[in-house]
């Protein structure tokens, strides 16, 4: 019986959560549908009425504004829209839909809009299609009001909830104040999509690929989420809850033991230092862990600071933000990545085209080079902030030496301009690039000759190397960081960097897996950058593994020719580490709780 209520998906971020579910709008054009419990039907109708009144009031305001500016004739359309909204037949239809189908008001309004489109649209001709749009316009307003009210309600809600959505987009993850999110569960989304990256940075469990999830949920239904195994249990009974709480307690105990290692230096038993830095999306991330435990910020994804706003942040605003990050890091390096928008990372106030192949389209550095004003403002703000810490600049999605030269010229130009204007700027601000596009692998020596450091963005590098869209659920199984080609590419970067005597790091998600981090150390990387809550695990692995052993592992992995073989090397590294840790610490509880990373890996294989 219990099994019927367990939905299996793909684990994206580890952890356990138990709470009430809240369904949110998945993306602007998709209206969420969920079931409404019998006793909540009247509440849903009251929500609908509230949204209708709000839309009516909005139309009335716009009517008088237009009348004042352009005359009463131009304002007539608003009175027609208000009449349409009061039309008892349409209202009755939407209400009946909520009562009979027991669905949320948004879905019922959407059905009405669809009906206008099919009945009037079917008549053919531009004119009729225009009417369909006119008839549905005011109801579209009601829909917007409902979705907006929903959002406001969510932000205001005091209770922590499990966020459920159709798709895991960055918008969905940034929908809620993070302190209100217990877990994120979605019907689709890739393990390495930006939504998943964000969910991991929240440090909350996340499971994607849960088939027909939304139709099985009711708003407020209790669910338990297992981010290790990738499962969601609907309406857990008391026995399930007790078992869940037991596991949670064990996990918490393990985490608190791990946190001790977080504050110790990241040095191997044979004396090799390996930097463990953090990936930061927002300023709030810096409050979620003791910043003194990391070796700096390896990746500051500035686009999320832009996404939280309603217009481009000004130079001063950015300066203050960057300065705060630098000051918080107290002398540790902060690697600021220039704006990396496009593809699934969109700004509501900046129109980017609808592209057939957005991952191969107008994104990252390409936008910064074309819209140089944006880049100049960002670099000005960053360089001004550099006087307050150890700043490094990192370029995303670079493809060619020309792009590096163009951007470096702008960077030097901005620096000279700031000096002329009397601004204080740090004497040295290292200028580096991300290795994300395969072309950069083939011109590494030339790039390294003109850059100060490189950082590998494996999330994108894997997608471009294997020709697998990181956001496309249809090919999610083919997105394979264990592919031998990925390891050969990683090795090429380490070797070329060593030859050029320039630091190299990995900031993609795979570096957060402690066995992978060890292999990267063995390949010659000087550091990795991971989400803050994986810092302790990676540091513990480094502290317990001699460098010579990591080196052997790296040599072994480079000999492998299939993903399965690479996977086995990683699994044996995990196993060895786990046994060593147990032998050294006698940490029985850790054994009981299991190795979450291994669980996750096996979960990944199960779902494959
Ligand atoms: C990457 O591609 O690995 C990376 C770190 O950048 P993002 O995930 O923001 O694209
Ligand atoms: Mg990237």
């Amino acid at each position: 019986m219990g099994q019927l209520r367990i939905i299996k998906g793909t684990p994206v971020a580890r952890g356990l959560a138990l709470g009430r579910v809240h369904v949110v709008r998945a993306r602007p054009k998709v209206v969420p549908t969920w079931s409404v419990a019998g006793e909540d039907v009247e509440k849903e109708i009251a929500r609908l009425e509230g949204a209708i009144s709000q839309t009516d009031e909005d139309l009335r305001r716009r009517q008088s504004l237009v009348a004042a500016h352009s005359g009463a004739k131009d304002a007539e359309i608003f009175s027609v829209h208000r009449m349409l909204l009061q039309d008892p037949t349409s209202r009755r239809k939407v209400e009946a839909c909520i009562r009979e189908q027991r669905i949320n008001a948004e879905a019922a309004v959407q059905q009405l809009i669809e009906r206008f489109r099919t009945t009037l649209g079917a008549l053919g001709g531009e004119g009729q299609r225009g009417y369909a749009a006119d008839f549905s316009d005011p109801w579209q307003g009601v829909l917007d009001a409902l979705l907006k009210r929903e959002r406001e309600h969510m932000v205001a809600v005091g209770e922590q909830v499990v966020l459920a959505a159709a798709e895991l987009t960055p918008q969905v993850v940034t929908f809620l104040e993070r302190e209100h999110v217990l877990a994120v569960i979605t019907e689709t989304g890739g393990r390495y999509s930006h939504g998943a990256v964000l969910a991991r940075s929240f440090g909350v469990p996340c499971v994607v690929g849960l088939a027909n999830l939304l139709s099985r949920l009711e708003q407020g239904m209790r669910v338990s989420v297992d981010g290790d195994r990738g499962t969601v249990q609907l309406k857990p009974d008391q026995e399930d809850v007790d078992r869940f709480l037991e596991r949670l307690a064990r996990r918490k105990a393990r985490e608190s033991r791990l946190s001790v290692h977080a504050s110790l230096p990241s040095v191997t038993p044979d004396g090799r230092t390996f930097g463990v830095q953090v990936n930061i999306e927002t300023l709030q991330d810096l409050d979620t862990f003791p910043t003194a435990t990391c070796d700096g910020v390896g990746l500051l994804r500035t686009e999320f600071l832009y996404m939280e706003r309603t217009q481009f942040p000004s130079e001063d605003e950015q300066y203050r933000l960057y300065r705060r990050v630098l000051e918080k890091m107290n002398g540790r390096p902060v690697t600021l990545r220039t704006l990396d928008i496009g593809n699934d990372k969109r700004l509501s106030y900046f129109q980017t085209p609808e592209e057939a192949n957005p991952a191969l389209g107008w994104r990252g550095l390409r936008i910064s080079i074309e819209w140089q004003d944006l880049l100049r403002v960002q670099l000005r703000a960053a360089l001004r902030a550099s006087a307050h810490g150890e700043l490094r600049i990192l370029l995303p999605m670079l493809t060619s030496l020309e792009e590096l030269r163009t951007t470096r010229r702008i960077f030097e130009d901005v620096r000279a301009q700031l000096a002329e204007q009397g601004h204080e700027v740090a004497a040295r601000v290292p200028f580096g690039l991300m290795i994300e596009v395969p072309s950069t692998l083939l011109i590494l020596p030339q790039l390294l000759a003109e850059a100060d450091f490189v950082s590998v963005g494996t999330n994108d590098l894997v997608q471009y190397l294997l020709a697998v869209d990181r956001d496309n659920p249809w090919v999610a199984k083919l997105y394979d960081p264990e592919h031998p080609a990925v390891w050969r590419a990683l090795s090429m970067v380490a070797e070329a960097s060593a030859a050029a005597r320039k630091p190299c790091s990995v900031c993609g998600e795979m570096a957060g897996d402690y066995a992978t981090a060890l292999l990267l150390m063995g390949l010659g990387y000087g550091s990795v950058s991971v989400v803050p809550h994986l810092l302790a695990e990676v540091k513990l692995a480094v502290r317990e593994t001699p460098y010579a052993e990591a080196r052997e592992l790296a040599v072994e992995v480079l000999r492998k020719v299939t993903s399965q073989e690479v996977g086995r090397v990683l699994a044996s590294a995990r196993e060895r580490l786990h046994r060593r840790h147990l032998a050294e610490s006698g940490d029985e509880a850790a054994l009981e709780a299991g190795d979450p990373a291994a669980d996750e890996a096996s979960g990944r294989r199960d779902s494959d």
Side-chain angles (χ1 to χ4, degrees), residues 337 340 436 460 470:
R337 180 172 75 181
D340 186 23
E436 299 188 284
D460 275 316
R470 68 194 261 195

Side-chain angles (χ1 to χ4, degrees), residues 8-12 191 207-210 228-231 473 476-478 599-608:
K8 174 101 181 82
T10 306
V12 159
R191 253 182 92 73
V207 182
V208 301
L210 296 154
D228 300 344
R229 296 182 181 141
T231 55
K477 283 183 193 157
L478 301 175
D599 263 8
E600 188 194 19
S602 72
R604 194 156 75 220
R605 299 218 171 281
D606 287 354
S607 63
D608 281 357

Side-chain angles (χ1 to χ4, degrees), residues 52 142 154 157 165 167 238 277 311 385 422 441 447 472 504 512 540 581 586 607:
I52 294 176
V142 175
M154 286 300 298
V157 85
E167 194 182 346
Q238 196 50 48
Q277 302 188 311
Q311 56 187 23
L441 294 171
L447 291 170
N472 181 345
C504 64
L540 174 64
H581 179 60
S607 63

